[in-house]
Amino acid sequence: MIKFLFKGIIRDKSRSMLPIIVISLGVSLTIVLSGFLSGAMTDMVDQNAKFETGHVKIMSRAYADNKDQLPNDLALLGVDSLVANLQVNYPDLQWVKRIRFGGLLDAPDGNGESKGQGPAAGIAINLLDASSGEVERMNISNSIVSGNLPKNAKEALIGDEFANKLNLKIGDEVTYFGTTMNGSMTFQNFIISGTIRFGVAAMDRGAILLDITAAQEMLDMEDGTGEILGFYNNGVYDDKAAIALETAFNKRFENNPDEYAPEMFTLRAQNNLGDLLDYANNMSAIFVIIFVGAMSVVLWNTGLIGGLRRYQEFGIRLALGESKGSIYRSLVLEATLIGIIGSLVGTSLGLIGAFYLQNYGINIEGMVDNSAMMMPTVMRAKVTPDLYYIGFIPGVFAMVFGNMLSGIGIYKRETASLFKELEV
C-alpha cells in the first residue's frame, strides 16, 4: 500500500508538489529561526557569564544591593581563605576573584601635560596567573588588536576604541585617578602593553584590564575583592545544580546579621538572565507551535482544493465498493508520506542555513554601538541535535492534520447519488 501511494505521489506532481513546497519552507524556517535565536540567546548568556555574572557569583550583601555603583568600600575581605574553602567544598567549580572599578584615565604628552582624558571602566582579573583560566575564558589573547598581554603588574590592556580616542600607542604611560576602598584618592601609572576589542560595545568604550594584584594594591584591597565568580569545570551552566549550590551556600550564613557576610547568586538571578534562559530553552517549542498552526491552515486549504480536484476519483472508488474509511485512511497515509518527504527536504535546507549562520553569523555591531546590554556584536546560530528531527513535528503533523480536516468531506458523499454524479 505504501509503495503504491509513494508511486502515486511521485508520478502525480499536481497532487504533491504544492504541499511539499509549503512543508519544506515551513520546516526550513522552523530550523533556521530556532537555531539562530537559540544560538543568539545562548551567546548572550555565555557572554554575560564570562564577563560579568559567572555561573555563580559571591558578593557581600551590601555590595550586592549597590553593585551598579561599583561599591568597593563594601567589598569582601579575607577572600584568600574564602576561596580556598570554596575550592575544597565545591571542587566541580573553578573560583576566581575579580574587582570592578571606575575612574578617570589621563594620557600625558611628552611634556607631562594631559593630552586627553576619559572615564575608564576597569576590570581586574588574574592576568598573570595562567592556572586561573581567566585569559582563555575571556578570550583575551584572540581579542588583542595590537601589542601583547601584560608581563607584570605595572602593565595594562586598554580598549582599542578608548586608545584611539586618547591617541595612545603601545608603550605609552597612562595615569589612573580614582578612589580606594577606604574613600581616599589614588593615583597609579601603567604602561600600555596592548589594545583590546571584546566585541561588546558596553565594555569596549572605556575598558582597562589590570592584574588583580595591581588593583588590590592600588585600591587598598589587600586580601579583598568585589566579587568571587564560580565557573563549572566543563564550561556549561547547569541551572538546577547552580540553584541547589546557591541554596546550600546561603543557608550557612542565613543567621549571620553582618551586611558584609557573603551571599551567592546564580547566573539566573542576575541581570534579568532568568527570562532569557527560559526563552532560550523554549525557543524550539515556540516555533513548532507557530508553524504547526500556520502550516495546518495552509495545508487544510490545499487539501480542500485537492479534494475538489479528486472529487471524481473518490466517487469512482466509492462506486467500485471501496469503503469511505479505507479512502480516508489512504488519504491520511498519503499525507504522512508527503509530510515526511517535505520534512526531509526542509530539514536539509534548514540545516544548511543554520550551519552557515553558525559559521558566519550576522554582524549587528552598528545596532549595539550605544547599547548598555552585554551582548555579542556577531549573532550566530547554534546547531544542536534537536534541529535534526524537530522539523518533522510541524512538517508531518501539519500535513496530516490539514488532510484529516479536508478529508472529512469523503463521509458526506451519498452512495445513492454517485452514478448520477458520474454520468458525464
Side-chain angles (χ1 to χ4, degrees):
M1 182 66 175
I2 294 176
K3 185 177 181 181
F4 172 76
L5 291 173
F6 184 74
K7 285 183 177 180
I9 292 169
I10 299 299
R11 290 171 180 172
D12 187 358
K13 299 291 192 300
S14 61
R15 182 193 306 182
S16 57
M17 186 61 70
L18 181 59
I20 288 175
I21 291 173
V22 171
I23 293 168
S24 298
L25 288 174
V27 169
S28 60
L29 283 172
T30 300
I31 291 172
V32 170
L33 291 176
S34 180
F36 177 71
L37 290 179
S38 179
M41 297 298 119
T42 301
D43 283 348
M44 288 176 65
V45 170
D46 287 346
Q47 195 95 312
N48 276 271
K50 291 175 181 177
F51 285 96
E52 188 167 345
T53 67
H55 293 152
V56 293
K57 181 194 285 188
I58 298 173
M59 302 172 278
S60 73
R61 291 168 182 165
Y63 185 102
D65 291 338
N66 302 276
K67 67 183 181 70
D68 291 337
Q69 284 77 45
L70 304 178
N72 285 321
D73 55 318
L74 305 175
L76 291 165
L77 295 176
V79 293
D80 289 341
S81 61
L82 177 57
V83 170
N85 183 270
L86 290 168
Q87 290 170 341
V88 171
N89 292 325
Y90 309 107
D92 52 335
L93 285 92
Q94 188 172 19
W95 301 95
V96 296
K97 296 175 285 188
R98 288 189 189 173
I99 298 174
R100 297 181 179 275
F101 57 94
L104 187 70
L105 205 64
D106 178 78
D109 59 17
N111 300 318
E113 301 293 331
S114 176
K115 67 177 180 180
Q117 294 180 338
I123 305 177
I125 63 173
N126 285 314
L127 274 175
L128 305 178
D129 181 8
S131 64
S132 69
E134 287 283 73
V135 172
E136 292 77 14
R137 184 176 295 114
M138 297 179 71
N139 197 31
I140 292 174
S141 296
N142 293 330
S143 301
I144 291 178
V145 178
S146 59
N148 300 287
L149 284 167
K151 294 181 173 60
N152 57 67
K154 295 300 181 182
E155 294 183 341
L157 291 170
I158 187 172
D160 187 64
E161 182 181 335
F162 198 24
N164 292 333
K165 178 183 175 182
L166 298 180
N167 195 25
L168 291 169
K169 301 184 293 295
I170 305 303
D172 284 355
E173 186 176 72
V174 293
T175 303
Y176 169 81
F177 296 83
T179 57
T180 68
M181 179 181 182
N182 301 313
S184 59
M185 291 292 294
T186 182
F187 309 90
Q188 186 69 49
N189 293 332
F190 293 98
I191 302 297
I192 302 300
S193 71
T195 63
I196 193 166
R197 183 186 295 120
F198 288 113
V200 181
M203 292 186 62
D204 287 341
R205 292 193 201 98
I208 178 170
L209 266 74
L210 309 176
D211 184 69
I212 196 162
T213 57
Q216 287 175 325
E217 180 182 351
M218 178 178 72
L219 302 173
D220 293 340
M221 293 178 66
E222 287 79 5
D223 200 20
T225 188
E227 306 164 353
I228 300 173
L229 275 62
F231 296 92
Y232 283 100
N233 292 328
N234 61 5
V236 179
Y237 175 68
D238 187 331
D239 196 36
K240 291 182 179 179
I243 291 173
L245 175 61
E246 175 193 48
T247 303
F249 181 87
N250 290 337
K251 192 172 182 179
R252 293 166 51 191
F253 300 94
E254 63 181 355
N255 295 322
N256 187 341
D258 188 358
E259 66 175 349
Y260 294 98
E263 185 173 5
M264 182 181 288
F265 299 86
T266 64
L267 180 150
R268 170 181 285 277
Q270 303 175 64
N271 296 2
N272 298 317
L273 292 175
D275 292 338
L276 202 62
L277 277 172
D278 293 335
Y279 189 51
N281 291 335
N282 296 325
M283 192 64 61
S284 296
I286 291 171
F287 281 107
V288 166
I289 293 170
I290 291 173
F291 282 102
V292 162
M295 289 164 59
S296 293
V297 173
V298 174
L299 293 170
W300 178 12
N301 284 281
T302 303
L304 288 173
I305 294 171
L308 291 173
R309 187 180 59 79
R310 300 174 68 186
Y311 187 82
Q312 190 173 24
E313 174 198 331
F314 293 151
I316 293 173
R317 290 169 67 179
L318 287 170
L320 292 173
E322 188 173 356
S323 68
K324 295 177 180 179
S326 175
I327 296 175
Y328 187 76
R329 286 191 295 273
S330 69
L331 191 66
V332 172
L333 184 56
E334 181 182 290
T336 303
L337 291 174
I338 293 174
I340 291 172
I341 294 170
S343 297
L344 285 169
V345 175
T347 297
S348 300
L349 295 174
L351 286 173
I352 291 171
F355 273 113
Y356 178 84
L357 289 174
Q358 179 175 260
N359 291 330
Y360 297 100
I362 297 177
N363 192 321
I364 60 167
E365 186 174 359
M367 301 169 61
V368 297
D369 280 345
N370 299 313
S371 174
M373 181 182 293
M374 189 164 293
M375 58 190 300
T377 54
V378 178
M379 308 291 274
R380 301 179 186 276
K382 184 179 182 181
V383 178
T384 53
D386 63 297
L387 295 185
Y388 288 88
Y389 63 82
I390 199 166
F392 286 85
I393 300 174
V396 175
F397 180 79
M399 183 65 191
V400 171
F401 185 63
N403 275 263
M404 286 175 68
L405 292 174
S406 62
I408 293 174
I410 293 172
Y411 288 96
K412 296 180 180 179
R413 302 290 293 275
E414 295 294 338
T415 307
S417 62
L418 284 175
F419 288 102
K420 186 176 180 181
E421 291 176 7
L422 299 172
E423 277 177 355
V424 179

